[in-house]
Amino acid sequence: MSLIFETIKCCNGKLFNLDFHQERFEYTQQKYFGKSTHIKLSESIRIPEFALTGLFRCRVTYSKNIENIEFIPHSYRNVTSLKLVEDNEIDYQFKYSDRKRLNQLFDMRGNCDDIIIIKKGYITDSFSANIVFFDGDKWITPNTPLLCGTQRAKLLFEKRIIENYITIADISGFEKAGLINAMQNLDNMQVINSYNIQE
């Protein structure tokens, strides 16, 4: 059984979006481990002194209980191009520590910076982020993600993005795409022009 993890943004000693991480943590505990949890991430995470300044990924690894909490310095990759790759069998509905198949797909990116994973004709996610597309008026995210990310959930809740089916053929109708995850939202995400998405 693979371990699961949460990645929580920690900037200058502050943890972000804890309510959404807590919700996914509890959902995963119930669905994957068959266990209702009374563990509160806000009470379990202690920010070390070295992480009180700067940007870190707080990685909480768990099974039925929390196994490990670590703070990893974070810097943003420059992503300006995306490669479409297909996998009709991939399953990543929980945030598994075992990312072997995702790594294999990432290695298929060629000269692009990241990937968009296609499953059964529909857009899902990039290597480590949910994706949003801008149609000139609004940001739209696929309603077929591999993993329902916490940033995605927050932006849907705030009605800053909407969700819909998105196929390969739809991509040319968008102006640009963006990558969102726990570490980046609409305001600081990586933005990619649609013409830099390669089949």
Side-chain angles (χ1 to χ4, degrees):
M1 180 179 289
S2 177
L3 292 175
I4 311 291
F5 70 99
E6 285 290 321
T7 298
I8 303 168
K9 179 180 179 179
C10 178
C11 186
N12 294 329
K14 177 184 177 182
L15 297 171
F16 285 74
N17 298 344
L18 264 184
D19 288 347
F20 290 92
H21 286 288
Q22 181 69 39
E23 182 178 348
R24 186 169 65 181
F25 176 76
E26 292 178 3
Y27 174 83
T28 302
Q29 288 265 290
Q30 179 62 47
K31 294 293 184 180
Y32 194 66
F33 300 109
K35 174 181 183 289
S36 296
T37 184
H38 299 291
I39 299 171
K40 298 299 181 186
L41 294 176
S42 60
E43 298 172 1
S44 301
I45 299 171
R46 294 291 177 264
I47 302 172
E49 187 173 349
F50 71 81
L52 293 176
T53 303
L55 181 63
F56 292 82
R57 299 192 311 274
C58 172
R59 181 179 169 118
V60 180
T61 304
Y62 64 97
S63 54
K64 292 183 178 180
N65 297 292
I66 291 177
E67 306 287 342
N68 190 40
I69 299 175
E70 55 188 331
F71 285 78
I72 305 163
H74 182 76
S75 59
Y76 293 104
R77 289 190 303 118
N78 187 33
V79 179
T80 61
S81 58
L82 299 168
K83 175 73 172 178
L84 299 179
V85 299
E86 185 174 11
D87 187 331
N88 292 326
E89 305 301 326
I90 188 169
D91 176 15
Y92 198 73
Q93 62 178 310
F94 300 107
K95 201 170 174 67
Y96 304 113
S97 293
D98 182 359
R99 292 173 60 86
K100 179 179 178 181
R101 182 54 184 158
L102 288 173
N103 288 326
Q104 291 171 340
L105 293 174
F106 186 70
D107 287 341
M108 296 166 61
R109 69 191 181 281
N111 61 355
C112 292
D113 299 317
D114 208 328
I115 59 174
I116 297 177
I117 301 168
I118 310 300
K119 183 174 182 179
K120 298 181 179 178
Y122 292 101
I123 306 297
T124 63
D125 295 330
S126 76
F127 173 63
S128 60
N130 293 130
I131 191 164
V132 291
F133 293 91
F134 188 67
D135 67 359
D137 177 52
K138 56 190 174 297
W139 287 100
I140 305 169
T141 193
N143 62 0
T144 51
L146 296 179
L147 177 73
C148 292
T150 54
Q151 188 68 246
R152 179 183 183 276
K154 181 176 185 290
L155 292 171
L156 285 169
F157 177 78
E158 295 172 344
K159 302 188 186 309
R160 295 187 66 192
I161 63 174
I162 62 173
E163 58 179 350
N164 205 345
Y165 285 109
I166 301 176
T167 67
I168 297 174
D170 295 325
I171 292 177
S172 61
F174 294 110
E175 293 182 6
K176 54 190 175 182
L179 302 181
I180 56 172
N181 58 23
M183 303 302 293
Q184 51 196 23
N185 58 27
L186 286 183
D187 302 315
N188 73 332
M189 68 183 177
Q190 302 283 306
V191 177
I192 302 97
N193 290 320
S194 291
Y195 57 76
N196 282 331
I197 300 175
Q198 301 180 14
E199 292 191 25

